[in-house]
Amino acid sequence: MKKVLISLGIVGILLFGACDGKKTENGNGEGTDSVETNAPTKTSEMIPAGDTEMEADGVETAPAEEWTEEAVAKQIKKVYAEVSKAYAPSADGMENNTDLDAMFCTKDFNLLQQQIRAINAKKSSERRFEREDLRWTYGMDVPVTPKNIKVELLTGNTAVASFELSSGEQWMYTKLTLDWEDGQWKIRSWSEVGDDTSDLIDEMFEYVEANSKH
């Protein structure tokens, strides 16, 4: 079976080819151009598990029926069904303009994406985090299907899910951190399974900070 592995190092997302070790970078290196930004905080406030019927300090918590492993897994399947539709070849050859980030990612993640687009628009080279399709499909053909989903409920508003994303004979491991926001589980970040030091939103935050005027 072919494998596609993901590594989220400080240089951005690197995609390793199924067999030949060929890799594709999600953007390139960092540059020196800068823009003024107002980046969100890197971590959201956590509420102890069990406070699922309450809101504390303005943080929304999942209701009891949604604070379950099954509910998180169901949302992940929904996300990747939509990803597969969004990246499927269209009959007219035009790109699908579905905004997956707006649909399925947190407000903080979307704010960082907006700031990164503003930064990259001012760069002639060394633009990072531009290939959103690599984050969603890792360069694999659609449809992509999440398999063997394992969910860990951390708090009343945060969960982590690890699974295999499969496309035919290709597959890769991925790990998502999700927050309960606006009435559904939304993706806050991607990270590499087995590497707790690698987190996409942290790398995005650092990129914004490094390219922002202070």
Side-chain angles (χ1 to χ4, degrees), residues 43-49 52 59-62 66-68 72 151-161 176-181 185-186 188:
T43 57
S44 59
E45 185 173 357
M46 302 293 184
I47 300 175
T52 55
V59 178
E60 184 181 5
T61 57
E66 294 291 342
W67 195 64
T68 67
V72 176
V151 176
E152 181 181 2
L153 299 169
L154 301 182
T155 71
N157 71 320
T158 306
V160 172
L176 303 179
T177 302
L178 304 100
D179 289 345
W180 181 259
E181 185 176 282
W185 288 105
K186 290 197 172 185
R188 188 205 318 160

Side-chain angles (χ1 to χ4, degrees), residues 90-156:
S90 61
D92 57 8
M94 301 295 290
E95 290 186 7
N96 189 313
N97 292 320
T98 303
D99 192 342
L100 296 169
D101 288 349
M103 293 173 64
F104 297 122
C105 295
T106 63
K107 294 172 184 174
D108 277 359
F109 187 92
N110 277 280
L111 178 56
L112 279 171
Q113 277 288 81
Q114 293 171 12
Q115 293 168 339
I116 287 170
R117 291 189 190 107
I119 289 168
N120 287 344
K122 296 180 179 292
K123 289 175 172 285
S124 58
S125 62
E126 298 182 333
R127 297 150 63 108
R128 295 185 62 195
F129 306 109
E130 290 195 307
R131 292 287 305 277
E132 295 177 14
D133 60 309
L134 298 185
R135 168 163 39 86
W136 289 110
T137 70
Y138 302 99
M140 296 188 293
D141 294 333
V142 293
V144 288
T145 305
K147 297 181 178 180
N148 301 320
I149 302 172
K150 298 179 181 178
V151 176
E152 181 181 2
L153 299 169
L154 301 182
T155 71

Side-chain angles (χ1 to χ4, degrees), residues 8-214:
L8 298 172
I10 192 67
V11 295
I13 296 179
L14 300 179
L15 292 180
F16 291 84
C19 293
D20 58 9
K22 184 178 180 180
K23 61 186 179 182
T24 304
E25 186 174 297
N26 183 4
N28 299 306
E30 297 179 9
T32 56
D33 294 350
S34 63
V35 296
E36 292 187 11
T37 59
N38 184 19
T41 55
K42 294 168 68 173
T43 57
S44 59
E45 185 173 357
M46 302 293 184
I47 300 175
D51 290 346
T52 55
E53 301 293 343
M54 303 170 57
E55 288 190 9
D57 297 325
V59 178
E60 184 181 5
T61 57
E65 64 273 16
E66 294 291 342
W67 195 64
T68 67
E69 295 175 4
E70 292 77 14
V72 176
K74 181 179 178 181
Q75 176 68 356
I76 290 171
K77 292 176 182 178
K78 175 183 176 181
V79 167
Y80 282 98
E82 196 64 38
V83 168
S84 295
K85 287 168 53 180
Y87 288 106
S90 61
D92 57 8
M94 301 295 290
E95 290 186 7
N96 189 313
N97 292 320
T98 303
D99 192 342
L100 296 169
D101 288 349
M103 293 173 64
F104 297 122
C105 295
T106 63
K107 294 172 184 174
D108 277 359
F109 187 92
N110 277 280
L111 178 56
L112 279 171
Q113 277 288 81
Q114 293 171 12
Q115 293 168 339
I116 287 170
R117 291 189 190 107
I119 289 168
N120 287 344
K122 296 180 179 292
K123 289 175 172 285
S124 58
S125 62
E126 298 182 333
R127 297 150 63 108
R128 295 185 62 195
F129 306 109
E130 290 195 307
R131 292 287 305 277
E132 295 177 14
D133 60 309
L134 298 185
R135 168 163 39 86
W136 289 110
T137 70
Y138 302 99
M140 296 188 293
D141 294 333
V142 293
V144 288
T145 305
K147 297 181 178 180
N148 301 320
I149 302 172
K150 298 179 181 178
V151 176
E152 181 181 2
L153 299 169
L154 301 182
T155 71
N157 71 320
T158 306
V160 172
S162 302
F163 53 93
E164 299 170 11
L165 193 62
S166 174
S167 171
E169 293 184 351
Q170 293 183 317
W171 56 272
M172 54 77 59
Y173 289 117
T174 192
K175 180 178 176 183
L176 303 179
T177 302
L178 304 100
D179 289 345
W180 181 259
E181 185 176 282
D182 295 335
Q184 66 175 307
W185 288 105
K186 290 197 172 185
I187 301 169
R188 188 205 318 160
S189 191
W190 281 253
S191 57
E192 184 177 359
V193 173
D195 183 0
D196 293 334
T197 66
S198 177
D199 192 276
L200 178 60
I201 201 167
D202 285 348
E203 294 174 17
M204 292 168 66
F205 186 88
E206 290 166 4
Y207 182 67
V208 168
E209 280 194 325
N211 288 274
S212 300
K213 295 178 180 178
H214 299 287

